[in-house]
Amino acid sequence: MIERHGFTKYFPVDIMDEYDEIRIPVKDQTHIKYDIVGGHMANYDFMIALNHFKGHPMGGYGGALKNLSIGCASQNGKAYIHSAGKMEKLDMGKLWTPEFIGNQDGFLESMAAAAQAVVNYFNKKQGIIYISVMNNMSIDCDCVDHPAPVKLEDYGILASTDPVALDQACIDIINQQKVTAKNDPTDLLKRIDKQHGTHTIDHAAQIGLGSKKYELINLDL
């Protein structure tokens, strides 16, 4: 997949959990007691979190918080978050059964907690900056083999030092879009609402990861 998209032509690619994984502390232990991330993350002191803002079949939307949590998690870490702390080792035969899935808010809150764990980890070093690209926005994630058609026009690129404010700003921008022949946010907003997606932002703010308040500063280059 990495070679198919052409990334290896331009820079080396480091798969965080290629060989091992590590556990890092979690402040909010409502569902998960730690965060399981790729072992290679220990090799880095600074992160640029480059996010593609779009919809997502499970999370409602994908942005900075999802990239911090699911994006940094190892395979086992992804299962742990998706199951809201019930499954510590990936078992695809069990992961999507009612026993391990179904607590949607628990999953979203686990994402917020895992995101905070990654932020706290890097804040002890040199920190993180967040960049969200609002283009090619479908209701589906890039991980979907055949995503739904794009119905929104490209908006631009947003950046922040607060992942909560950044995700909130992206959500607000989508909410403010008007329906035209070339631009229709309806399906994406329905997807976010159906999956209770903004609960991730609400919980992240509640546990002190960041603030939902922000100021948009436009830079026309």
Side-chain angles (χ1 to χ4, degrees):
M1 179 68 74
I2 295 170
E3 291 184 356
R4 188 169 73 185
H5 284 288
F7 296 140
T8 54
K9 295 180 181 179
Y10 303 103
F11 44 74
V13 177
D14 187 0
I15 301 174
M16 293 292 101
D17 64 340
E18 183 176 6
Y19 301 112
D20 57 3
E21 61 189 20
I22 58 176
R23 295 180 178 183
I24 60 175
V26 168
K27 181 179 179 181
D28 171 37
Q29 298 188 7
T30 305
H31 304 286
I32 59 176
K33 306 308 177 187
Y34 39 79
D35 188 21
I36 313 173
V37 300
H40 286 193
M41 201 170 82
N43 298 331
Y44 298 91
D45 294 325
F46 177 72
M47 179 190 288
I48 299 175
L50 179 60
N51 322 295
H52 177 207
F53 184 85
K54 70 285 182 187
H56 190 274
M58 291 194 66
Y61 81 95
L65 295 174
K66 181 179 179 295
N67 209 14
L68 287 168
S69 55
I70 301 298
C72 291
S74 66
Q75 286 191 349
N76 291 327
K78 289 175 172 60
Y80 193 46
I81 295 168
H82 274 283
S83 64
K86 294 181 180 179
M87 180 183 291
E88 297 184 38
K89 190 171 181 60
L90 179 65
D91 185 339
M92 293 302 295
K94 295 180 179 179
L95 183 57
W96 310 117
T97 62
E99 179 184 0
F100 292 101
I101 205 69
N103 181 1
Q104 178 68 5
D105 280 1
F107 158 53
L108 301 177
E109 291 167 7
S110 297
M111 281 206 297
Q116 186 179 45
V118 173
V119 170
N120 288 344
Y121 177 86
F122 277 99
N123 280 347
K124 294 178 180 179
K125 298 184 176 186
Q126 296 182 29
I128 307 175
I129 61 171
Y130 309 92
I131 302 171
S132 287
V133 180
M134 299 186 72
N135 75 333
N136 198 36
M137 292 178 286
S138 167
I139 65 170
D140 288 323
C141 176
D142 302 320
C143 62
V144 177
D145 285 339
H146 302 287
V150 172
K151 295 184 179 180
L152 278 161
E153 291 185 311
D154 294 348
Y155 182 85
I157 300 173
L158 280 70
S160 178
T161 56
D162 184 336
V164 179
L166 182 58
D167 276 9
Q168 184 65 58
C170 291
I171 292 289
D172 289 345
I173 287 168
I174 298 300
N175 271 294
Q176 293 163 9
Q177 296 295 300
K178 295 181 179 180
V179 177
T180 67
K182 297 181 179 180
N183 192 64
D184 189 352
T186 306
D187 289 347
L188 179 52
L189 291 173
K190 286 182 177 178
R191 170 63 60 83
I192 295 170
D193 183 63
K194 179 182 178 182
Q195 298 304 106
H196 205 188
T198 56
H199 184 62
T200 310
I201 300 173
D202 294 338
H203 191 71
Q206 181 180 342
I207 63 178
L209 174 52
S211 172
K212 293 167 62 175
K213 297 180 180 180
Y214 60 88
E215 178 185 1
L216 279 179
I217 300 174
N218 295 318
L219 299 175
D220 294 323
L221 302 178

